[in-house]
């Protein structure tokens, strides 16, 4: 037997902790931002990729196909139209970079702007993937309070003023204004205008993440911040993950050309996967407009099932809103519940949840909160999963006392 080679001393500083081996999906999966298997348009995707390959499969011979480093041109052309009609954005295909998921977009923008020790503003409750990424840069992450309309402008102004007094200018304000993760809020247009003015006056860039903006129940949303600013001082990322399929790993960055040229310099992977881009361009030009409303309607139904199940199983022990879109619900449990511990106990029972502290800069505020993703499980699994979670919570923390109208004392 060859003796093991000890590579641990070679690790670069700041390398993340080793990953655990994957042991399969939990029975009740309320994490990870997965979408629903029944929403994947399998046959249409097969048709789309076949058509695209027959027509231009030989272009796979070149990095970047016939489209150059920004990504497959027909997909960018589709996005030009979609972003205009959906989010009011006036952009050309040269303002759009196709990425391997919007996570790559997040990485590229962070790499472009965040140096070690820089200050970055985020919404107090925000996407956990952003928090872990910024932490790797040793960034000083400052959370700004939210309300039911998203980022609070009084809190933003106060934070910027406080930082200014200390001579600190943040690199950007990372925001998810349209279906906020995890709270689900949509920032109204008036507040967006105020937001842009405050950021502009402070000379701070806005980093706008629109991962979920297609999934608004009413199918109407305010213009993006990027649209309202005509792209000045705003970098935008979006994704096909939640509207079509997460595992395709296709997202995009939208930026003015001067910013884009710099981002492009950092994207040194010789292009994102071509088949996915070709398939999506073909599929979306025909079906996106009819697919998304169907998905939104069914997700809205799952949200109602989740809300009903929580009300039934947790009674007044669970507080939550009625978000206007998205795939998750942000839930408050009684103060004595530590959701990090709850998540561990739930995991052992085959239930995955996102504990609040991983989704917030204020660990104490988020201690008794959690995020539940409802897109992937079917209605019955949602009901059973919530009942199982209530059972674990009662065992570990003594709440909820009542469940399904049965007193458990
Ligand atoms: C707010 C937000 N941004 C970005 C992402 C990354 O998405 P993807 O890389 O699949 O496009 C997620 C994933 O859940 C998210 O919630």
């Amino acid at each position: 037997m060859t003796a093991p080679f000890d590579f641990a001393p070679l690790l670069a500083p700041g390398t993340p902790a080793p990953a655990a081996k994957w042991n399969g999906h939990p029975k009740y999966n309320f994490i990870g931002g997965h979408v629903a298997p029944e929403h994947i348009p399998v046959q249409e995707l097969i048709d789309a990729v076949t058509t695209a390959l027959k027509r231009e499969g030989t272009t796979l011979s070149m990095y970047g196909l016939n489209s150059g480093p920004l990504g497959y041109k027909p997909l960018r052309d589709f996005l030009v139209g979609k972003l205009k009609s959906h989010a009011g954005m006036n952009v050309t295909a040269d303002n759009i970079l196709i990425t391997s998921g919007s996570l790559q977009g997040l990485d590229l923008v962070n790499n472009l702007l965040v140096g070690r020790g820089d200050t970055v503003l985020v919404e107090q409750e925000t996407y956990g993937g952003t928090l872990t990424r910024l932490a790797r840069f040793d960034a000083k992450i400052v959370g700004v309070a939210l309300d039911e309309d998203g980022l609070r402008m009084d809190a933003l102004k106060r934070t910027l003023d406080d930082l200014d007094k200390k001579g600190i200018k943040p690199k950007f304000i990372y925001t998810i204004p349209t279906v906020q993760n995890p709270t689900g809020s949509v920032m109204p247009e008036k507040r967006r205008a105020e937001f842009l003015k405050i950021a502009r006056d402070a000379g701070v860039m806005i980093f706008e993440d629109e991962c979920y903006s297609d999934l608004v129940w009413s199918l109407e949303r305010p213009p993006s911040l990027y649209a309202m600013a005509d792209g000045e001082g705003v970098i935008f990322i979006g994704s096909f993950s939640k509207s079509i399929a997460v595992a395709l790993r296709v997202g995009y960055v939208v930026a003015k050309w001067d910013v884009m040229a710099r981002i492009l310099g950092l994207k040194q992977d010789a292009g994102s996967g071509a088949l996915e881009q070709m398939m999506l361009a073909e599929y979306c030009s025909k079906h996106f407009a009819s697919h998304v409303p169907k998905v939104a309607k069914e997700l809205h139904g799952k949200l109602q099932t989740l809300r009903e199940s929580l009300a039934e199983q947790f009674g007044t022990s669970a507080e939550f809103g009625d978000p206007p879109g998205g795939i998750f619900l942000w839930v408050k449990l009684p103060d004595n519940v530590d959701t990090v511990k709850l998540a561990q106990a739930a995991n052992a029972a085959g239930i995955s949840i996102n504990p609040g502290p991983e989704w917030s800069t204020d660990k104490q505020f988020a201690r008794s909160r959690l995020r539940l993703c409802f897109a992937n499980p079917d209605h019955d699994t949602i009901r059973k999963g919530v009942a199982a979670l209530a059972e674990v919570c009662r065992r570990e923390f003594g709440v909820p006392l009542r469940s399904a109208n049965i007193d458990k004392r």
Side-chain angles (χ1 to χ4, degrees):
M1 256 237 325
T2 314
F5 180 84
D6 182 14
F7 76 102
L10 308 176
L11 290 172
T15 305
K21 276 197 182 149
W22 189 66
N23 286 319
H25 288 298
K27 187 167 175 196
Y28 301 113
N29 194 342
F30 293 113
I31 62 161
H34 306 294
V35 294
E38 67 272 20
H39 294 168
I40 307 299
V42 177
Q43 187 55 52
E44 288 86 347
L45 291 176
I46 293 170
D47 296 344
V49 77
T50 307
T51 306
L53 272 182
K54 278 191 183 151
R55 190 180 58 230
E56 50 196 291
T58 55
T59 61
L60 290 168
S61 59
M62 285 180 293
Y63 290 110
L65 307 160
N66 263 345
S67 293
L70 286 170
Y72 187 52
K73 177 75 167 26
L75 186 57
R76 289 185 286 129
D77 288 341
F78 165 76
L79 282 168
V80 168
K82 172 198 143 37
L83 293 171
K84 169 83 188 146
S85 61
H86 179 70
M89 292 161 70
N90 287 311
V91 296
T92 70
D94 281 346
N95 299 119
I96 301 174
L97 168 68
I98 305 293
T99 53
S100 306
S102 57
L103 278 176
Q104 188 182 32
L106 262 173
D107 287 336
L108 289 168
V109 175
N110 288 342
N111 275 313
L112 183 71
L113 297 177
V114 188
R116 223 149 258 292
D118 276 346
T119 297
V120 172
L121 265 49
V122 300
E123 289 153 349
Q124 183 182 295
E125 278 64 58
T126 191
Y127 173 43
T130 297
L131 291 177
T132 49
R133 277 174 166 70
L134 289 172
R136 282 210 68 201
F137 284 89
D138 266 345
K140 295 198 175 63
I141 307 170
V142 179
V144 180
L146 294 160
D147 63 20
E148 60 287 351
D149 286 337
L151 202 60
R152 264 177 43 196
M153 291 304 115
D154 59 331
L156 175 62
K157 187 125 194 19
R158 200 171 43 246
T159 306
L160 286 168
D161 287 348
D162 287 351
L163 289 171
D164 189 51
K165 278 186 204 129
K166 293 182 203 150
I168 297 169
K169 187 192 278 241
K171 277 301 178 72
F172 55 70
I173 308 163
Y174 170 78
T175 179
I176 316 168
T178 316
V179 189
Q180 209 271 344
N181 183 357
T183 60
S185 64
V186 175
M187 185 185 284
E189 186 167 349
K190 189 158 166 278
R191 191 179 288 190
R192 289 176 191 236
E194 208 182 329
F195 184 6
L196 285 168
K197 179 162 183 339
I198 292 171
R200 220 352 137 81
D201 289 351
V204 177
M205 192 120 196
I206 292 177
F207 183 6
E208 178 176 32
D209 185 343
E210 281 226 334
C211 199
Y212 301 91
S213 64
D214 292 319
L215 304 175
V216 178
W217 314 143
S218 67
L219 304 176
E220 279 174 20
R221 37 79 43 96
S224 69
L225 292 162
Y226 187 100
M228 292 173 73
D230 202 17
E232 294 300 338
V234 183
I235 303 178
F236 176 105
I237 58 172
S239 181
F240 287 97
S241 281
K242 315 298 168 167
S243 50
I244 312 285
V246 289
L248 291 177
R249 310 305 306 126
V250 182
Y252 44 95
V253 178
V254 183
K256 286 287 201 187
W257 176 251
D258 54 346
V259 179
M260 182 59 83
R262 296 289 191 151
I263 293 175
L264 204 48
L266 287 167
K267 192 172 187 294
Q268 294 175 343
D269 59 359
S272 295
L275 275 190
E276 298 86 326
Q277 297 185 53
M278 292 165 92
M279 180 168 74
L280 276 175
E282 200 66 31
Y283 172 82
C284 289
S285 60
K286 294 197 184 82
H287 303 293
F288 189 85
S290 58
H291 177 72
V292 166
K294 227 168 41 203
V295 170
K297 185 163 183 267
E298 286 165 24
L299 287 174
H300 193 191
K302 285 192 179 184
L303 169 64
Q304 296 319 329
T305 298
L306 176 61
R307 295 177 74 248
E308 281 160 26
S309 307
L310 282 167
E312 190 179 310
Q313 298 294 338
F314 281 82
T316 52
S317 294
E319 294 166 38
F320 47 86
D322 191 2
I327 61 170
F328 36 72
L329 188 63
W330 184 237
V331 180
K332 164 84 177 76
L333 294 179
D335 288 342
N336 70 309
V337 179
D338 174 338
T339 55
V340 172
K341 292 197 177 120
L342 175 65
Q344 284 160 1
N347 229 3
I351 313 154
S352 294
I353 59 166
N354 290 121
E358 291 175 10
W359 250 251
S360 178
T361 57
D362 185 336
K363 307 300 175 200
Q364 192 51 37
F365 174 85
R367 186 178 173 275
S368 54
R369 290 173 161 85
L370 71 151
R371 190 187 79 145
L372 294 173
C373 288
F374 53 81
N376 188 258
D378 59 31
H379 290 265
D380 192 45
T381 309
I382 292 174
R383 283 188 205 100
K384 289 184 175 139
V386 171
L389 181 64
E391 208 52 58
V392 173
C393 194
R394 186 176 307 109
R395 192 184 69 219
E396 298 293 320
F397 298 100
V399 282
L401 289 177
R402 292 178 72 82
S403 136
N405 240 5
I406 299 161
D407 199 328
K408 301 278 178 167
R409 275 173 291 199

